[in-house]
Amino acid sequence: MKILVVEDEPTLNKIIAKRLKIEAYSVDCAFNGKEALEYLDAAEYDLLIVDIMMPEMDGLTLVKKVRSQGSQVPVLFLTALDSTQDKVTGLDCGGDDYLVKPFEFDELLARIRSLLRRSNSQQTARTQLSLADLILDTRTHQVTRNGQEITLTPKEFSVLDYLLRNQGTVLSREQILEHAWDFSYEGYSNMVDVYIKTLRKKIDKDFEPKLLHTVRGAGYVLKE
């Protein structure tokens, strides 16, 4: 899942991004509303975490612009403004949830999971994604096939999560790269091939049927 963190305080922005990446989210960082709009023009996100008080363009204005463009991407306001009226204003302008600083990171993660469950399809909303005997648990990050636990790196987990959410659909290298990596990554699409190769060894080599398929000239698809 791809998240955009919009927070003008560099240290907090960096801490949030680092913790989210540990949880296997792909994260981009913006430091004001105008910069966030540039990211939103270039990529699709599953969630926005937005501070309200920022230079150049504040969070409320940003979210109003996002909603005026027809986007329904979930928005979690993360701000020091803690009055009831502040919360009402944030929710009324298009926010989906509101968390006051300082906050516990476990609560932030719980809010994120809740928003993602509410906003996405029924497949996304389930805590378990599955195909044949392959099961991925989005809460525990446990992956099993035929009851055997499979150990994945955070990036392998992120790639597999994206493939499972789009099972049956051929995904290009560019699509996988965009969702599993962030804009700070300066690699190339062959990095996707490397991760697909390691995933195939882990989830397919010792099992039947084979689930991860290459579509020559198009990309990869997860299907029976």
Side-chain angles (χ1 to χ4, degrees), residues 97-152:
D97 201 354
Y98 196 104
L99 184 59
V100 175
K101 303 174 186 174
F103 60 92
E104 294 291 336
F105 206 86
D106 285 344
E107 182 178 3
L108 175 61
L109 291 175
R111 300 284 188 102
I112 290 171
R113 290 192 296 267
S114 177
L115 286 173
L116 293 175
R117 285 197 300 269
R118 277 190 273 157
S119 66
N120 296 327
S121 64
Q122 184 178 6
Q123 172 75 356
T124 303
R126 298 205 306 267
T127 59
Q128 288 191 341
L129 307 176
S130 63
L131 176 65
D133 56 357
L134 174 66
I135 300 173
L136 178 149
D137 192 302
T138 60
R139 290 188 303 176
T140 65
H141 285 197
Q142 183 182 52
V143 176
T144 61
R145 180 143 194 210
N146 193 29
Q148 299 181 38
E149 186 167 356
I150 298 171
T151 301
L152 300 181

Short mmCIF file of all heavy atoms in Angstrom, two decimals, residues 97-152:
data_model
loop_
_atom_site.label_atom_id
_atom_site.label_comp_id
_atom_site.label_asym_id
_atom_site.label_seq_id
_atom_site.Cartn_x
_atom_site.Cartn_y
_atom_site.Cartn_z
N ASP A 97 -10.40 10.99 9.04
CA ASP A 97 -10.08 10.73 10.44
C ASP A 97 -9.16 11.84 10.92
O ASP A 97 -8.58 12.58 10.12
CB ASP A 97 -9.41 9.36 10.60
CG ASP A 97 -9.50 8.82 12.03
OD1 ASP A 97 -9.99 9.55 12.91
OD2 ASP A 97 -9.07 7.68 12.24
N TYR A 98 -8.99 11.93 12.24
CA TYR A 98 -8.29 13.06 12.84
C TYR A 98 -7.56 12.57 14.08
O TYR A 98 -8.18 12.04 15.00
CB TYR A 98 -9.32 14.13 13.22
CG TYR A 98 -8.79 15.51 13.50
CD1 TYR A 98 -8.94 16.54 12.57
CD2 TYR A 98 -8.17 15.81 14.71
CE1 TYR A 98 -8.50 17.83 12.83
CE2 TYR A 98 -7.71 17.09 14.98
CZ TYR A 98 -7.88 18.09 14.04
OH TYR A 98 -7.44 19.38 14.29
N LEU A 99 -6.24 12.69 14.08
CA LEU A 99 -5.43 12.24 15.21
C LEU A 99 -4.58 13.40 15.70
O LEU A 99 -3.91 14.07 14.91
CB LEU A 99 -4.54 11.07 14.79
CG LEU A 99 -3.68 10.41 15.88
CD1 LEU A 99 -4.55 9.85 17.00
CD2 LEU A 99 -2.83 9.29 15.27
N VAL A 100 -4.63 13.64 17.01
CA VAL A 100 -3.96 14.81 17.58
C VAL A 100 -2.54 14.44 18.04
O VAL A 100 -2.31 13.39 18.62
CB VAL A 100 -4.77 15.35 18.78
CG1 VAL A 100 -4.02 16.49 19.46
CG2 VAL A 100 -6.14 15.83 18.31
N LYS A 101 -1.59 15.35 17.75
CA LYS A 101 -0.22 15.21 18.25
C LYS A 101 -0.17 15.68 19.71
O LYS A 101 -0.88 16.63 20.05
CB LYS A 101 0.75 16.07 17.43
CG LYS A 101 0.77 15.80 15.95
CD LYS A 101 1.66 16.85 15.28
CE LYS A 101 1.64 16.75 13.78
NZ LYS A 101 2.38 17.85 13.13
N PRO A 102 0.67 15.11 20.54
CA PRO A 102 1.49 13.91 20.28
C PRO A 102 0.62 12.66 20.25
O PRO A 102 -0.46 12.63 20.83
CB PRO A 102 2.46 13.90 21.46
CG PRO A 102 1.71 14.57 22.56
CD PRO A 102 0.88 15.64 21.90
N PHE A 103 1.11 11.63 19.58
CA PHE A 103 0.30 10.43 19.39
C PHE A 103 1.16 9.19 19.62
O PHE A 103 2.39 9.25 19.57
CB PHE A 103 -0.27 10.40 17.96
CG PHE A 103 0.81 10.41 16.90
CD1 PHE A 103 1.32 9.23 16.39
CD2 PHE A 103 1.34 11.61 16.44
CE1 PHE A 103 2.32 9.23 15.43
CE2 PHE A 103 2.34 11.63 15.48
CZ PHE A 103 2.83 10.44 14.97
N GLU A 104 0.49 8.09 19.87
CA GLU A 104 1.17 6.80 19.97
C GLU A 104 1.19 6.16 18.59
O GLU A 104 0.17 6.14 17.90
CB GLU A 104 0.45 5.87 20.95
CG GLU A 104 0.48 6.33 22.40
CD GLU A 104 1.87 6.24 22.99
OE1 GLU A 104 2.68 5.42 22.48
OE2 GLU A 104 2.15 6.98 23.95
N PHE A 105 2.34 5.65 18.18
CA PHE A 105 2.44 5.13 16.82
C PHE A 105 1.53 3.93 16.59
O PHE A 105 1.00 3.73 15.50
CB PHE A 105 3.89 4.75 16.49
CG PHE A 105 4.17 4.83 15.02
CD1 PHE A 105 4.54 6.04 14.44
CD2 PHE A 105 4.03 3.72 14.20
CE1 PHE A 105 4.77 6.13 13.08
CE2 PHE A 105 4.26 3.80 12.84
CZ PHE A 105 4.65 5.00 12.27
N ASP A 106 1.30 3.13 17.63
CA ASP A 106 0.39 1.99 17.49
C ASP A 106 -1.02 2.47 17.14
O ASP A 106 -1.73 1.82 16.36
CB ASP A 106 0.35 1.17 18.77
CG ASP A 106 1.59 0.32 18.96
OD1 ASP A 106 2.33 0.13 17.97
OD2 ASP A 106 1.83 -0.16 20.08
N GLU A 107 -1.42 3.60 17.71
CA GLU A 107 -2.74 4.13 17.38
C GLU A 107 -2.77 4.63 15.94
O GLU A 107 -3.76 4.43 15.23
CB GLU A 107 -3.14 5.26 18.32
CG GLU A 107 -4.54 5.80 18.02
CD GLU A 107 -5.00 6.89 18.97
OE1 GLU A 107 -4.21 7.28 19.85
OE2 GLU A 107 -6.15 7.33 18.81
N LEU A 108 -1.69 5.28 15.51
CA LEU A 108 -1.62 5.73 14.11
C LEU A 108 -1.76 4.55 13.16
O LEU A 108 -2.53 4.61 12.19
CB LEU A 108 -0.31 6.45 13.86
CG LEU A 108 -0.05 6.88 12.40
CD1 LEU A 108 -1.11 7.84 11.91
CD2 LEU A 108 1.34 7.49 12.26
N LEU A 109 -1.06 3.46 13.45
CA LEU A 109 -1.15 2.27 12.59
C LEU A 109 -2.56 1.70 12.58
O LEU A 109 -3.07 1.28 11.54
CB LEU A 109 -0.16 1.21 13.06
CG LEU A 109 1.33 1.52 12.85
CD1 LEU A 109 2.18 0.43 13.47
CD2 LEU A 109 1.64 1.65 11.37
N ALA A 110 -3.21 1.70 13.74
CA ALA A 110 -4.58 1.19 13.82
C ALA A 110 -5.53 2.07 13.00
O ALA A 110 -6.42 1.55 12.32
CB ALA A 110 -5.04 1.13 15.28
N ARG A 111 -5.35 3.38 13.08
CA ARG A 111 -6.18 4.30 12.29
C ARG A 111 -5.96 4.07 10.79
O ARG A 111 -6.91 4.10 10.01
CB ARG A 111 -5.85 5.75 12.64
CG ARG A 111 -6.06 6.14 14.10
CD ARG A 111 -7.52 6.35 14.45
NE ARG A 111 -7.65 6.90 15.80
CZ ARG A 111 -7.90 8.18 16.06
NH1 ARG A 111 -8.04 9.04 15.07
NH2 ARG A 111 -8.01 8.59 17.31
N ILE A 112 -4.71 3.86 10.40
CA ILE A 112 -4.39 3.61 9.00
C ILE A 112 -5.09 2.34 8.52
O ILE A 112 -5.73 2.31 7.46
CB ILE A 112 -2.87 3.50 8.80
CG1 ILE A 112 -2.21 4.88 8.97
CG2 ILE A 112 -2.54 2.93 7.42
CD1 ILE A 112 -0.70 4.83 9.00
N ARG A 113 -4.97 1.26 9.30
CA ARG A 113 -5.60 0.00 8.91
C ARG A 113 -7.11 0.16 8.80
O ARG A 113 -7.74 -0.37 7.87
CB ARG A 113 -5.25 -1.10 9.91
CG ARG A 113 -3.80 -1.54 9.87
CD ARG A 113 -3.58 -2.82 10.67
NE ARG A 113 -3.85 -2.64 12.09
CZ ARG A 113 -2.93 -2.33 12.99
NH1 ARG A 113 -1.67 -2.15 12.62
NH2 ARG A 113 -3.24 -2.19 14.27
N SER A 114 -7.69 0.90 9.72
CA SER A 114 -9.13 1.11 9.69
C SER A 114 -9.56 1.86 8.43
O SER A 114 -10.54 1.49 7.77
CB SER A 114 -9.57 1.88 10.94
OG SER A 114 -10.95 2.16 10.91
N LEU A 115 -8.83 2.91 8.10
CA LEU A 115 -9.17 3.69 6.90
C LEU A 115 -9.02 2.86 5.63
O LEU A 115 -9.85 2.95 4.72
CB LEU A 115 -8.30 4.94 6.82
CG LEU A 115 -8.64 6.06 7.80
CD1 LEU A 115 -7.59 7.16 7.74
CD2 LEU A 115 -10.02 6.63 7.52
N LEU A 116 -7.97 2.06 5.56
CA LEU A 116 -7.76 1.24 4.38
C LEU A 116 -8.85 0.17 4.26
O LEU A 116 -9.31 -0.13 3.15
CB LEU A 116 -6.37 0.59 4.43
CG LEU A 116 -5.20 1.56 4.30
CD1 LEU A 116 -3.87 0.83 4.50
CD2 LEU A 116 -5.21 2.28 2.96
N ARG A 117 -9.27 -0.38 5.39
CA ARG A 117 -10.35 -1.36 5.35
C ARG A 117 -11.65 -0.74 4.85
O ARG A 117 -12.39 -1.33 4.07
CB ARG A 117 -10.58 -1.97 6.74
CG ARG A 117 -9.53 -2.97 7.17
CD ARG A 117 -10.04 -3.81 8.34
NE ARG A 117 -10.36 -2.99 9.50
CZ ARG A 117 -9.50 -2.70 10.47
NH1 ARG A 117 -8.26 -3.14 10.39
NH2 ARG A 117 -9.86 -1.96 11.50
N ARG A 118 -11.92 0.48 5.31
CA ARG A 118 -13.17 1.13 4.94
C ARG A 118 -13.19 1.58 3.48
O ARG A 118 -14.23 1.59 2.85
CB ARG A 118 -13.40 2.36 5.83
CG ARG A 118 -14.03 2.04 7.17
CD ARG A 118 -14.44 3.30 7.86
NE ARG A 118 -13.35 3.87 8.66
CZ ARG A 118 -13.28 5.13 8.99
NH1 ARG A 118 -14.18 5.98 8.57
NH2 ARG A 118 -12.28 5.56 9.74
N SER A 119 -12.03 1.98 2.97
CA SER A 119 -12.02 2.67 1.69
C SER A 119 -11.89 1.75 0.48
O SER A 119 -12.34 2.11 -0.60
CB SER A 119 -10.86 3.67 1.65
OG SER A 119 -9.63 2.98 1.69
N ASN A 120 -11.30 0.60 0.67
CA ASN A 120 -11.02 -0.22 -0.48
C ASN A 120 -12.07 -1.30 -0.70
O ASN A 120 -13.07 -1.36 -0.01
CB ASN A 120 -9.62 -0.83 -0.35
CG ASN A 120 -8.55 0.24 -0.37
OD1 ASN A 120 -8.68 1.26 -1.03
ND2 ASN A 120 -7.49 0.02 0.39
N SER A 121 -11.83 -2.13 -1.68
CA SER A 121 -12.79 -3.16 -2.06
C SER A 121 -12.91 -4.21 -0.97
O SER A 121 -12.14 -4.23 -0.01
CB SER A 121 -12.32 -3.85 -3.35
OG SER A 121 -11.10 -4.52 -3.09
N GLN A 122 -13.86 -5.11 -1.13
CA GLN A 122 -14.06 -6.17 -0.15
C GLN A 122 -12.81 -7.02 -0.01
O GLN A 122 -12.45 -7.45 1.08
CB GLN A 122 -15.23 -7.06 -0.56
CG GLN A 122 -15.57 -8.13 0.47
CD GLN A 122 -16.75 -8.95 0.05
OE1 GLN A 122 -17.26 -8.80 -1.06
NE2 GLN A 122 -17.21 -9.82 0.92
N GLN A 123 -12.09 -7.22 -1.08
CA GLN A 123 -10.85 -8.00 -1.02
C GLN A 123 -9.83 -7.27 -0.17
O GLN A 123 -9.14 -7.88 0.66
CB GLN A 123 -10.30 -8.24 -2.44
CG GLN A 123 -8.92 -8.87 -2.50
CD GLN A 123 -8.94 -10.35 -2.18
OE1 GLN A 123 -9.97 -10.92 -1.85
NE2 GLN A 123 -7.80 -10.98 -2.30
N THR A 124 -9.72 -5.98 -0.34
CA THR A 124 -8.77 -5.19 0.42
C THR A 124 -9.16 -5.14 1.89
O THR A 124 -8.31 -5.11 2.77
CB THR A 124 -8.71 -3.76 -0.14
OG1 THR A 124 -8.35 -3.81 -1.51
CG2 THR A 124 -7.69 -2.92 0.59
N ALA A 125 -10.46 -5.12 2.15
CA ALA A 125 -10.93 -4.95 3.52
C ALA A 125 -10.63 -6.17 4.39
O ALA A 125 -10.50 -6.05 5.59
CB ALA A 125 -12.43 -4.69 3.52
N ARG A 126 -10.53 -7.35 3.79
CA ARG A 126 -10.26 -8.52 4.59
C ARG A 126 -8.85 -8.48 5.15
O ARG A 126 -7.92 -7.95 4.54
CB ARG A 126 -10.44 -9.79 3.73
CG ARG A 126 -11.84 -9.97 3.21
CD ARG A 126 -12.10 -11.44 2.93
NE ARG A 126 -11.11 -12.02 2.05
CZ ARG A 126 -11.24 -12.10 0.74
NH1 ARG A 126 -12.29 -11.60 0.15
NH2 ARG A 126 -10.31 -12.67 0.00
N THR A 127 -8.69 -9.04 6.33
CA THR A 127 -7.35 -9.08 6.91
C THR A 127 -6.51 -10.17 6.27
O THR A 127 -5.29 -10.17 6.42
CB THR A 127 -7.42 -9.32 8.42
OG1 THR A 127 -8.10 -10.56 8.67
CG2 THR A 127 -8.16 -8.18 9.10
N GLN A 128 -7.14 -11.10 5.55
CA GLN A 128 -6.40 -12.13 4.85
C GLN A 128 -6.67 -12.06 3.36
O GLN A 128 -7.81 -11.97 2.92
CB GLN A 128 -6.77 -13.52 5.37
CG GLN A 128 -6.24 -13.84 6.76
CD GLN A 128 -6.40 -15.30 7.12
OE1 GLN A 128 -7.20 -16.01 6.53
NE2 GLN A 128 -5.63 -15.75 8.09
N LEU A 129 -5.60 -12.09 2.59
CA LEU A 129 -5.68 -12.17 1.14
C LEU A 129 -5.23 -13.57 0.75
O LEU A 129 -4.25 -14.08 1.29
CB LEU A 129 -4.78 -11.12 0.49
CG LEU A 129 -4.97 -9.67 0.94
CD1 LEU A 129 -3.94 -8.77 0.26
CD2 LEU A 129 -6.38 -9.19 0.63
N SER A 130 -5.93 -14.19 -0.19
CA SER A 130 -5.59 -15.57 -0.50
C SER A 130 -5.79 -15.89 -1.98
O SER A 130 -6.59 -15.25 -2.68
CB SER A 130 -6.44 -16.53 0.34
OG SER A 130 -7.81 -16.39 0.03
N LEU A 131 -5.06 -16.89 -2.42
CA LEU A 131 -5.21 -17.47 -3.75
C LEU A 131 -4.77 -18.92 -3.63
O LEU A 131 -3.65 -19.20 -3.21
CB LEU A 131 -4.36 -16.72 -4.78
CG LEU A 131 -4.36 -17.31 -6.19
CD1 LEU A 131 -5.76 -17.23 -6.81
CD2 LEU A 131 -3.35 -16.59 -7.08
N ALA A 132 -5.70 -19.84 -4.00
CA ALA A 132 -5.45 -21.27 -3.81
C ALA A 132 -5.08 -21.49 -2.34
O ALA A 132 -5.82 -21.06 -1.46
CB ALA A 132 -4.37 -21.77 -4.77
N ASP A 133 -3.91 -22.11 -2.07
CA ASP A 133 -3.52 -22.34 -0.67
C ASP A 133 -2.50 -21.33 -0.17
O ASP A 133 -1.90 -21.51 0.88
CB ASP A 133 -2.98 -23.76 -0.50
CG ASP A 133 -1.81 -24.06 -1.43
OD1 ASP A 133 -1.46 -23.19 -2.26
OD2 ASP A 133 -1.24 -25.17 -1.35
N LEU A 134 -2.33 -20.23 -0.92
CA LEU A 134 -1.45 -19.14 -0.51
C LEU A 134 -2.26 -18.12 0.29
O LEU A 134 -3.28 -17.62 -0.19
CB LEU A 134 -0.83 -18.47 -1.74
CG LEU A 134 0.02 -17.21 -1.49
CD1 LEU A 134 1.29 -17.57 -0.71
CD2 LEU A 134 0.37 -16.54 -2.81
N ILE A 135 -1.82 -17.82 1.51
CA ILE A 135 -2.55 -16.90 2.39
C ILE A 135 -1.59 -15.83 2.91
O ILE A 135 -0.50 -16.16 3.40
CB ILE A 135 -3.20 -17.63 3.57
CG1 ILE A 135 -4.19 -18.69 3.07
CG2 ILE A 135 -3.89 -16.64 4.50
CD1 ILE A 135 -4.76 -19.57 4.17
N LEU A 136 -1.99 -14.58 2.80
CA LEU A 136 -1.22 -13.46 3.34
C LEU A 136 -2.09 -12.74 4.34
O LEU A 136 -3.21 -12.33 4.03
CB LEU A 136 -0.80 -12.52 2.20
CG LEU A 136 -0.01 -11.25 2.57
CD1 LEU A 136 0.95 -10.88 1.43
CD2 LEU A 136 -0.95 -10.07 2.84
N ASP A 137 -1.60 -12.58 5.56
CA ASP A 137 -2.32 -11.88 6.62
C ASP A 137 -1.78 -10.46 6.71
O ASP A 137 -0.61 -10.25 7.02
CB ASP A 137 -2.14 -12.61 7.96
CG ASP A 137 -3.10 -12.09 9.02
OD1 ASP A 137 -3.05 -10.87 9.31
OD2 ASP A 137 -3.88 -12.89 9.56
N THR A 138 -2.66 -9.48 6.46
CA THR A 138 -2.21 -8.09 6.41
C THR A 138 -1.95 -7.51 7.79
O THR A 138 -1.27 -6.49 7.91
CB THR A 138 -3.26 -7.21 5.70
OG1 THR A 138 -4.50 -7.27 6.42
CG2 THR A 138 -3.48 -7.68 4.27
N ARG A 139 -2.46 -8.14 8.83
CA ARG A 139 -2.23 -7.64 10.19
C ARG A 139 -0.94 -8.19 10.79
O ARG A 139 -0.15 -7.45 11.37
CB ARG A 139 -3.41 -7.98 11.10
CG ARG A 139 -4.67 -7.21 10.79
CD ARG A 139 -5.72 -7.46 11.85
NE ARG A 139 -6.01 -8.90 11.99
CZ ARG A 139 -6.83 -9.40 12.90
NH1 ARG A 139 -7.38 -8.61 13.80
NH2 ARG A 139 -7.06 -10.70 12.95
N THR A 140 -0.74 -9.49 10.66
CA THR A 140 0.43 -10.13 11.27
C THR A 140 1.62 -10.20 10.32
O THR A 140 2.73 -10.53 10.73
CB THR A 140 0.10 -11.56 11.73
OG1 THR A 140 -0.22 -12.37 10.58
CG2 THR A 140 -1.09 -11.55 12.68
N HIS A 141 1.37 -9.92 9.03
CA HIS A 141 2.40 -10.03 7.99
C HIS A 141 2.91 -11.47 7.86
O HIS A 141 4.04 -11.69 7.43
CB HIS A 141 3.57 -9.07 8.25
CG HIS A 141 3.24 -7.65 7.93
ND1 HIS A 141 4.18 -6.67 7.76
CD2 HIS A 141 2.05 -7.04 7.74
CE1 HIS A 141 3.60 -5.52 7.48
NE2 HIS A 141 2.30 -5.72 7.47
N GLN A 142 2.06 -12.41 8.19
CA GLN A 142 2.41 -13.82 8.04
C GLN A 142 1.94 -14.31 6.67
O GLN A 142 0.84 -13.99 6.22
CB GLN A 142 1.77 -14.67 9.13
CG GLN A 142 2.15 -16.14 9.07
CD GLN A 142 1.46 -16.96 10.14
OE1 GLN A 142 0.24 -16.90 10.28
NE2 GLN A 142 2.23 -17.72 10.90
N VAL A 143 2.78 -15.07 6.01
CA VAL A 143 2.46 -15.66 4.71
C VAL A 143 2.63 -17.16 4.82
O VAL A 143 3.65 -17.65 5.32
CB VAL A 143 3.37 -15.11 3.59
CG1 VAL A 143 3.07 -15.80 2.27
CG2 VAL A 143 3.18 -13.60 3.45
N THR A 144 1.62 -17.91 4.36
CA THR A 144 1.71 -19.37 4.36
C THR A 144 1.27 -19.92 3.01
O THR A 144 0.48 -19.29 2.29
CB THR A 144 0.83 -19.99 5.46
OG1 THR A 144 -0.55 -19.64 5.22
CG2 THR A 144 1.24 -19.49 6.84
N ARG A 145 1.78 -21.10 2.70
CA ARG A 145 1.27 -21.84 1.54
C ARG A 145 1.19 -23.29 1.94
O ARG A 145 2.14 -23.88 2.44
CB ARG A 145 2.18 -21.66 0.32
CG ARG A 145 1.63 -22.43 -0.88
CD ARG A 145 1.78 -21.79 -2.21
NE ARG A 145 0.93 -22.49 -3.16
CZ ARG A 145 1.16 -22.61 -4.45
NH1 ARG A 145 2.22 -22.01 -4.99
NH2 ARG A 145 0.32 -23.28 -5.23
N ASN A 146 0.01 -23.87 1.73
CA ASN A 146 -0.27 -25.23 2.14
C ASN A 146 0.04 -25.43 3.62
O ASN A 146 0.52 -26.47 4.04
CB ASN A 146 0.53 -26.23 1.29
CG ASN A 146 0.04 -27.66 1.46
OD1 ASN A 146 -1.14 -27.90 1.74
ND2 ASN A 146 0.94 -28.60 1.32
N GLY A 147 -0.22 -24.36 4.40
CA GLY A 147 -0.01 -24.43 5.83
C GLY A 147 1.42 -24.20 6.27
O GLY A 147 1.69 -24.13 7.48
N GLN A 148 2.34 -24.07 5.34
CA GLN A 148 3.75 -23.86 5.69
C GLN A 148 4.06 -22.37 5.69
O GLN A 148 3.76 -21.66 4.73
CB GLN A 148 4.66 -24.57 4.69
CG GLN A 148 4.47 -26.06 4.62
CD GLN A 148 5.42 -26.70 3.62
OE1 GLN A 148 6.56 -26.30 3.49
NE2 GLN A 148 4.93 -27.71 2.90
N GLU A 149 4.67 -21.89 6.77
CA GLU A 149 5.00 -20.47 6.85
C GLU A 149 6.15 -20.13 5.92
O GLU A 149 7.14 -20.85 5.82
CB GLU A 149 5.36 -20.09 8.29
CG GLU A 149 5.57 -18.59 8.47
CD GLU A 149 5.61 -18.17 9.92
OE1 GLU A 149 5.40 -19.03 10.80
OE2 GLU A 149 5.86 -16.97 10.17
N ILE A 150 6.01 -18.99 5.23
CA ILE A 150 7.01 -18.52 4.28
C ILE A 150 7.54 -17.18 4.79
O ILE A 150 6.77 -16.26 5.06
CB ILE A 150 6.41 -18.35 2.87
CG1 ILE A 150 5.91 -19.69 2.34
CG2 ILE A 150 7.43 -17.74 1.92
CD1 ILE A 150 5.11 -19.58 1.05
N THR A 151 8.84 -17.08 4.94
CA THR A 151 9.46 -15.85 5.43
C THR A 151 9.78 -14.92 4.26
O THR A 151 10.51 -15.31 3.34
CB THR A 151 10.75 -16.16 6.22
OG1 THR A 151 10.44 -17.02 7.31
CG2 THR A 151 11.37 -14.88 6.76
N LEU A 152 9.24 -13.71 4.32
CA LEU A 152 9.48 -12.72 3.27
C LEU A 152 10.13 -11.47 3.86
O LEU A 152 9.88 -11.13 5.02
CB LEU A 152 8.17 -12.31 2.59
CG LEU A 152 7.35 -13.40 1.89
CD1 LEU A 152 6.10 -12.78 1.27
CD2 LEU A 152 8.17 -14.13 0.84
#
